[in-house]
Amino acid sequence: MFPATVPLKKPVVKLPSVPPCKNPTHLLPSPPTSSSAVASSVKEMAEEAVLGFLEHNDEIVDSGEFAVEKGINHEEIVNVVKSLNGFGFVVAQDIKRERWQLTTEGKTYAASGSPEYQLLMAIPPEGISRVELQKKLGDSVFKIGCQQATKNKWVEMGKTQVSRKVARVDDNVKALLIKINDGEALNQEDIDALKRRKLISPQIWKGYSVKKGPNYAPKRRKPATDLTRENLQSGEWKELLFKEYNFLAKGFPVEGGYLHPLLKVRRQIQMIFLQMGFEEMPTNNYVESSFWNFDALFQPQQHPARDSHDTFFLREPSTTKTLPEDYVERVKQIHESGGHGSRGYGYDWKREEANKNLLRTHTTAVSSRMLYALAKKPFEAKRYYSIDRVFRNEAVDRTHLAEFHQIEGLICDRGLSLGDLQGVLHDFFSRLGMSKLRFKPAYNPYTEPSMEIFGYHEGLKKWVEVGNSGMFRPEMLLPMGLPEDVTVIAWGLSLERPTMILYGIDNIRDLFGHKVDLSLIKSNPICRIGL
Ligand code: PHE
């Protein structure tokens, strides 16, 4: 169940000792087949050298000196020591040394003398003009040489002439630089002086002192990862060193059981509605009659949304069988001639049009059914919500599909006002992480007034349209039989839009449909906070 794929922490079995490796080069494969073969054999050689040495000695005092002695690259020794240390074969202690090395400038002076010495040597006993001296030495040596030689009181710098003050000097700087180059120690004062002139720079050298570790063995054997039939038959299993299980290794990712981002956001929104005291409406009918989808919502029969270019009508069964007849009659009335103070639309309402089956274009069709059912009983205030699929015959593009999920909320109570609607919307959207809202007058056949909702998106730093809302018209509510003082405030939005914003998806086809990359479903975050 747990693949033993990660190196063991401790070797389990101590191995019999092997003679130390006196001449490690015999391990080199000849001829080397590939560069990795060479690399691994150099590694083996270094490892044998370290383990072999420790078998008969207490300590490798300095890995640097050890590397020189064994003729092995120090870096290789360091790598091997680190690995052996990790497995407890050895215990390694850091050694850090600061060494001085010559800078490029320092190197030139070590070779051809310090500028001040070169300068002095270039001045003849009778003196020389500045111009000529500069020509002889070059700009840089002349400039630095003048400074240093003056400081040393070796020369007299006249306006035009330069003359010696001393006959002979030692080139101390050059001598110091050579000492540094040979690795000799200098006193701090000299070091500081050279450092100030940027003739030397520090070099940090890192190495180790190495001792036997708790798991020391003279040779590292590759541990077996599987116990085979052959191991058991031969009895070899008794001696074998097995790789330890690594219970901390990450297992294989579990396939299946991933939640789609839409489902996660749906859940988040569902929780918000429930916390706000809303009940879920039964939306398990994609097929709806035109009556409940449009007519009951006071949407006239010649409204462009009722065209087959916008709505998917059903061929089979093409019409609905049952509608509540007395209510149908009241709806016909209100469309044709109005009532309750409305003039209606003044057209010839046709039952055949209302009977046509379609794929619901909004979940407001369910809301109309729910309100009608509510009107049949003694009045009770309600908060309803739904989140489900709706269908529109639309051209598919980056932001539109022919189907999407609609989120809908409504509150039905006596004397609700537009202020109540705005208050509820603020509550709802701030729970989604959007506390700044703006409203824009809009039009829906079934609401008056109607408002588009805009929210300020803190992440995108702009106002984005987040939904549509309004108060259901009396022309819709009164024929249902709801009391006159009952008003219904409602709003709707898509589930896809907030999900795309939350999950940073800019093409709806990457979220829904046959083009969705399955890895999106597998690797998307558990949840996203704030819209
Ligand atoms: N049904 C509307 C739509 O399709 C949303 C809405 C619901 C608007 C309720 C107002 C009230 O966009």
Side-chain angles (χ1 to χ4, degrees):
M1 188 177 162
F2 293 94
T5 49
V6 179
L8 74 171
K9 294 248 168 59
K10 290 180 267 164
V12 196
V13 180
K14 292 250 160 106
L15 297 167
S17 57
V18 290
C21 173
K22 290 266 165 49
N23 175 16
T25 47
H26 76 277
L27 285 171
L28 272 173
S30 55
T33 45
S34 70
S35 62
S36 73
V38 175
S40 77
S41 71
V42 172
K43 194 175 150 228
E44 276 168 30
M45 196 166 85
E47 189 167 302
E48 277 210 48
V50 171
L51 291 176
F53 185 87
L54 287 179
E55 196 183 4
H56 301 286
N57 302 277
D58 287 341
E59 187 178 13
I60 295 172
V61 183
D62 182 314
S63 58
E65 284 162 18
F66 183 75
V68 174
E69 234 168 74
K70 297 286 174 189
I72 300 171
N73 188 333
H74 183 237
E75 231 174 275
E76 209 56 60
I77 297 282
V78 165
N79 285 340
V80 157
V81 166
K82 277 188 195 161
S83 157
L84 290 173
N85 186 57
F87 290 110
F89 279 90
V90 302
V91 175
Q93 211 110 44
D94 288 349
I95 308 176
K96 242 188 222 173
R97 265 200 296 268
E98 206 180 50
R99 287 185 174 177
W100 294 101
Q101 62 179 2
L102 302 189
T103 60
T104 323
E105 191 183 354
K107 278 181 199 153
T108 31
Y109 300 164
S112 37
S114 68
E116 55 270 34
Y117 186 79
Q118 291 184 47
L119 181 108
L120 191 74
M121 290 301 113
I123 305 172
E126 67 280 9
I128 187 170
S129 82
R130 272 175 178 256
V131 182
E132 212 169 315
L133 186 58
Q134 184 164 1
K135 218 189 281 167
K136 255 173 123 175
L137 294 171
D139 290 349
S140 133
V141 170
F142 174 75
K143 190 173 157 233
I144 304 168
C146 283
Q147 275 167 8
Q148 297 296 332
T150 311
K151 210 162 99 192
N152 294 352
K153 303 201 169 61
W154 290 352
V155 293
E156 177 78 54
M157 301 289 296
K159 275 225 173 75
T160 54
Q161 280 295 109
V162 185
S163 53
R164 285 171 176 242
K165 274 173 138 181
V166 288
R168 280 198 51 217
V169 292
D170 291 325
D171 192 353
N172 203 17
V173 169
K174 175 177 174 168
L176 291 174
L177 289 173
I178 290 171
K179 276 189 182 174
I180 294 260
N181 210 30
D182 294 345
E184 278 179 51
L186 300 191
N187 67 42
Q188 197 56 42
E189 210 179 309
D190 288 336
I191 293 273
D192 289 345
L194 295 177
K195 218 162 66 175
R196 231 177 291 122
R197 288 181 68 175
K198 296 202 174 63
L199 302 182
I200 57 173
S201 65
Q203 184 196 31
I204 310 281
W205 180 91
K206 283 184 191 154
Y208 293 105
S209 71
V210 188
K211 284 186 177 156
K212 278 192 185 113
N215 303 321
Y216 174 79
K219 191 168 168 37
R220 175 147 65 162
R221 249 194 341 184
K222 208 170 176 242
T225 49
D226 283 316
L227 179 62
T228 64
R229 204 172 113 117
E230 288 72 31
N231 296 154
L232 290 170
Q233 278 175 337
S234 65
E236 195 189 1
W237 63 272
K238 289 180 210 157
E239 307 299 324
L240 268 181
L241 168 68
F242 287 101
K243 201 165 192 172
E244 278 193 349
Y245 280 115
N246 180 358
F247 294 108
L248 300 175
K250 279 191 181 168
F252 287 110
V254 180
E255 291 294 324
Y258 299 96
L259 288 177
H260 189 282
L262 277 178
L263 295 181
K264 295 184 195 179
V265 178
R266 185 177 74 175
R267 183 87 186 131
Q268 265 175 281
I269 292 174
Q270 211 162 31
M271 293 316 287
I272 291 174
F273 275 122
L274 293 176
Q275 282 156 10
M276 289 173 70
F278 283 64
E279 282 171 56
E280 189 169 7
M281 294 187 267
T283 46
N284 53 343
N285 60 315
Y286 293 166
V287 174
E288 187 53 278
S289 63
S290 293
F291 179 77
W292 290 111
N293 194 82
F294 294 127
D295 296 281
L297 289 161
F298 197 52
Q299 191 143 333
Q301 294 190 326
Q302 58 282 2
H303 190 281
R306 299 180 68 149
D307 196 274
S308 62
H309 293 296
D310 289 298
T311 299
F312 293 112
F313 287 95
L314 252 70
R315 212 173 281 152
E316 190 66 47
S318 62
T319 55
T320 184
K321 290 204 181 79
T322 50
L323 290 175
E325 293 305 331
D326 54 335
Y327 175 49
V328 170
E329 194 49 42
R330 295 197 296 274
V331 169
K332 173 183 157 77
Q333 277 289 317
I334 203 102
H335 277 244
E336 288 188 338
S337 52
H340 310 287
S342 169
R343 284 190 287 149
Y345 290 119
Y347 72 99
D348 200 6
W349 187 86
K350 293 206 175 60
R351 175 65 183 260
E352 308 81 73
E353 202 56 48
N355 282 347
K356 283 185 185 167
N357 275 337
L358 44 74
L359 290 179
R360 69 172 175 230
T361 64
H362 52 186
T363 47
T364 319
V366 180
S367 304
S368 65
R369 279 178 179 272
M370 293 299 284
L371 290 169
Y372 172 69
L374 204 61
K376 288 176 84 174
K377 293 181 283 180
F379 180 71
E380 204 189 332
K382 283 285 180 190
R383 291 168 172 239
Y384 285 139
Y385 83 93
S386 67
I387 308 172
D388 210 341
R389 220 174 266 200
V390 300
F391 307 85
R392 293 181 189 177
N393 194 358
E394 262 178 307
V396 169
D397 62 24
R398 296 183 74 77
T399 51
H400 293 91
L401 290 178
E403 61 185 293
F404 66 96
H405 293 78
Q406 196 162 53
I407 303 165
E408 182 151 327
L410 68 88
I411 304 178
C412 168
D413 203 350
R414 297 186 193 273
L416 291 174
S417 69
L418 194 68
D420 291 308
L421 175 58
Q422 294 190 338
V424 173
L425 290 174
H426 269 115
D427 189 1
F428 176 80
F429 282 99
S430 63
R431 286 167 194 255
L432 270 173
M434 269 195 178
S435 42
K436 282 188 216 153
L437 294 185
R438 274 182 183 172
F439 304 103
K440 183 177 154 188
Y443 172 78
N444 295 308
Y446 40 90
T447 53
E448 180 58 35
S450 311
M451 303 186 300
E452 273 171 13
I453 313 158
F454 290 80
Y456 187 74
H457 192 278
E458 299 290 349
L460 305 175
K461 296 261 172 280
K462 62 175 185 186
W463 291 92
V464 292
E465 195 190 331
V466 288
N468 184 7
S469 68
M471 301 178 70
F472 284 139
R473 295 186 80 103
E475 288 96 328
M476 169 181 163
L477 302 180
L478 294 176
M480 290 175 171
L482 283 167
E484 291 225 0
D485 59 343
V486 167
T487 41
V488 180
I489 54 178
W491 72 98
L493 60 144
S494 85
L495 176 63
E496 279 74 1
R497 199 179 162 85
T499 306
M500 285 168 72
I501 295 175
L502 282 171
Y503 284 83
I505 298 166
D506 66 354
N507 188 336
I508 196 162
R509 288 166 287 196
D510 293 336
L511 180 69
F512 196 84
H514 66 286
K515 286 192 179 158
V516 171
D517 178 1
L518 271 186
S519 62
L520 165 88
I521 316 294
K522 290 182 184 171
S523 60
N524 66 70
I526 290 174
C527 73
R528 313 240 75 179
I529 297 160
L531 207 124

